Amino acid sequence: MASEKKKKISPAAKTGWVSYDRGYEITQSGSIISNCLQYLLKERAPITLYNKNYQSGNTLIFAVKDNRLLIDKPRDWMGLKKVRVIFKDSAKLWNHFVTLIVSESKDTLFAQLPTELFMLQRRAHFRVETPQGSMVTFRHEKKKCKFKIQDVSAGGMLMFEKINHGIPLHGKKISEILISIPTVTKGPDAKLSRIRFSIPDGKVVRSFKNGQTEMEFFGVYFTPEPKEETRILQYVRQRELHMLRKGM
């Protein structure tokens, strides 16, 4: 788990995710935390309550009421005042937050709303930042959309657009995904071209806004066909080597 000792956190954490420590990212964004809690409620996703002297079995947050999390009280509850709430998000990444137990009843724990959320960025697929000019087109319902891309892997991508784009994407499925990335051909006649990847469909599993850049970001999970997955993996490896050579 990420250390609970306070360290300097970038102001950008107020609007999005920032690197923290030992593979973790942290956010203090109210909208991201709210979306996460809504996911836990809607999907009745299992959580674990953890303290250095205690670890519960699977339980769940079943309501948010009067600025309190209502947690199904574990049978072996030990009357703790401070716990970590651990769970997997919709992208199957480990998340946790620290909360105080304000009160309890026979079957319910009443906890404070979190102000910080940690995410462990250990992905099944390594991701790389894409060069400027990388784009993706896709269909959302009957509308064709075009967004910019920040990074890509064989299992998903992070795309973004201006905050007021007017398209409600969080938690939605998208289809006919076509990724277009600029690349320079090698040799004496080097020229700018584009490499393209086609994925049948995907799902927007997380979103956050950056008020400083006025951009909204969307994490998309997808599963390409085997042939296309191989092509994406080849690109990711080549891009990683390119960035290492440049000393990035």
Side-chain angles (χ1 to χ4, degrees), residues 7-10 13 16-27 121 127:
K7 58 178 289 185
K8 190 173 181 180
I9 299 171
S10 167
W17 292 97
V18 298
S19 296
Y20 185 72
D21 189 21
R22 290 180 291 172
Y24 279 89
E25 293 184 2
I26 185 175
T27 185
Q121 278 285 18
R127 63 179 180 176

Side-chain angles (χ1 to χ4, degrees), residues 65-208:
K65 185 177 180 181
D66 298 329
N67 289 322
R68 294 286 183 262
L69 302 176
L70 276 60
I71 302 172
D72 192 22
K73 188 176 181 179
R75 292 184 178 181
D76 61 348
W77 179 244
M78 297 176 59
L80 302 168
K81 296 300 181 185
K82 187 177 183 180
V83 293
R84 292 185 189 186
V85 177
I86 306 168
F87 58 93
K88 281 188 176 181
D89 62 17
S90 56
K92 307 305 179 186
L93 296 177
W94 285 108
N95 288 239
H96 78 268
F97 60 81
V98 177
T99 185
L100 297 178
I101 305 300
V102 177
S103 61
E104 59 184 87
S105 67
K106 181 180 179 181
D107 55 11
T108 303
L109 302 177
F110 299 87
Q112 288 184 349
L113 294 176
T115 57
E116 294 180 337
L117 180 63
F118 296 88
M119 177 172 60
L120 184 59
Q121 278 285 18
R122 291 176 185 166
R123 296 171 177 267
H125 300 285
F126 185 77
R127 63 179 180 176
V128 291
E129 290 190 6
T130 51
Q132 186 174 0
S134 298
M135 308 292 296
V136 60
T137 60
F138 59 91
R139 286 195 179 276
H140 168 58
E141 296 177 346
K142 295 183 178 180
K143 184 174 182 179
K144 190 170 184 179
C145 308
K146 185 176 183 180
F147 280 34
K148 300 177 180 68
I149 301 177
Q150 179 164 302
D151 61 53
V152 69
S153 77
M157 63 181 173
L158 184 64
M159 63 183 188
F160 63 97
E161 190 48 87
K162 290 184 179 179
I163 287 176
N164 295 322
H165 56 78
I167 307 172
L169 287 175
H170 186 86
K172 303 295 185 179
K173 291 184 178 181
I174 60 177
S175 61
E176 298 179 27
I177 302 168
L178 180 62
I179 296 172
S180 175
I181 301 173
T183 183
V184 178
T185 58
K186 296 180 180 179
D189 299 323
K191 61 180 181 179
L192 183 66
S193 62
R194 283 188 171 269
I195 184 170
R196 292 177 172 83
F197 305 111
S198 178
I199 299 99
D201 51 50
K203 183 177 181 181
V204 179
V205 295
R206 69 183 180 110
S207 64
F208 60 91

Side-chain angles (χ1 to χ4, degrees), residues 30-40 170 206-208:
S31 62
I32 294 177
I33 293 171
S34 177
N35 285 338
C36 181
L37 294 177
Q38 288 302 314
Y39 164 76
L40 293 175
H170 186 86
R206 69 183 180 110
S207 64
F208 60 91

